[in-house]
Structures are given as C-alpha cells and as structure tokens.
Amino acid sequence: MSNITFQKYWYLGVFGFVGFYKFQFAIDYFQGQGALWDLLNLLWFFWFLYFLPNKK
C-alpha cells in the first residue's frame, strides 16, 4: 500500500465532475434531440483518470 502515489496533477481529476453536468446532452443525442457533437461531452469523464493512483 505504501508503494501507491497520486499522479502529479491529480487535482485535474475534478474536471471529471463536469461530465455529470454534461451527461444530459449525451442522453439527448440518443433520444434524437441532440446533435452528434453532444457526444463529445462524454470526454469530460476522462479527466477522472487523474484521480487514479500510480504504483512506484
């Protein structure tokens, strides 16, 4: 357990929470009410990868 450290820019993982706000736009696309560009809002969730710790 002591060999696990956070990534250098772990605080950037907070941007992943924007994905929850933008998730409705992606749902709208699948319901036929949004544009294809609305699917790009799902990319906000990739910021959560900064929260994952690294092994030394």
Side-chain angles (χ1 to χ4, degrees):
M1 189 70 137
S2 63
N3 293 338
I4 297 175
T5 60
F6 280 106
Q7 295 184 23
K8 183 177 180 181
Y9 299 109
W10 64 269
Y11 52 87
L12 291 176
V14 175
F15 285 125
F17 288 109
V18 175
F20 290 110
Y21 172 72
K22 298 285 190 173
F23 191 65
Q24 184 61 42
F25 295 107
I27 292 173
D28 288 343
Y29 170 75
F30 289 113
Q31 293 176 345
Q33 300 171 0
L36 184 60
W37 288 103
D38 292 334
L39 285 180
L40 290 176
N41 289 320
L42 294 176
L43 294 176
W44 283 102
F45 288 112
F46 280 109
W47 285 98
F48 276 126
L49 295 176
Y50 279 105
F51 277 137
L52 298 178
N54 292 332
K55 292 183 180 179
K56 279 189 169 181

